[in-house]
Amino acid sequence: EIRKLAQEDCGYEEPTIAMAYVYFEKLALHGKLDKQNRKLCAGACILLAAKISNDLKRPEVKHLID
């Protein structure tokens, strides 16, 4: 779902998606995810990866935040 949202809907590149997935997996390994917050955390991971990759200037970011 992270790949579909980030790549197909927002047009982010593979390295940004991979970085978001690593962040999400780190949260899962530390036991910070549960059923209520996993989608919010996935979105936050994508935004964080996009910020580091300088992809936040795209107009699709508003769609991702919504």
Side-chain angles (χ1 to χ4, degrees):
E1 287 186 38
I2 290 175
R3 187 194 59 78
K4 181 188 178 300
L5 179 67
Q7 190 174 35
E8 295 175 8
D9 294 346
C10 296
Y12 290 129
E13 297 180 5
E14 291 291 328
T16 304
I17 298 166
M19 193 180 314
Y21 188 75
V22 168
Y23 294 150
F24 187 79
E25 285 294 314
K26 284 186 177 188
L27 287 173
L29 289 174
H30 288 304
K32 303 293 183 187
L33 298 177
D34 56 22
K35 191 167 180 121
Q36 289 84 19
N37 71 356
R38 67 179 175 203
K39 290 194 179 190
L40 291 174
C41 289
C45 290
I46 294 170
L47 285 174
L48 183 62
K51 181 177 180 176
I52 291 173
S53 301
N54 289 325
D55 282 340
L56 278 181
K57 296 177 182 171
R58 294 179 174 216
E60 293 88 0
V61 172
K62 182 178 180 343
H63 171 70
L64 178 62
I65 292 172
D66 291 339

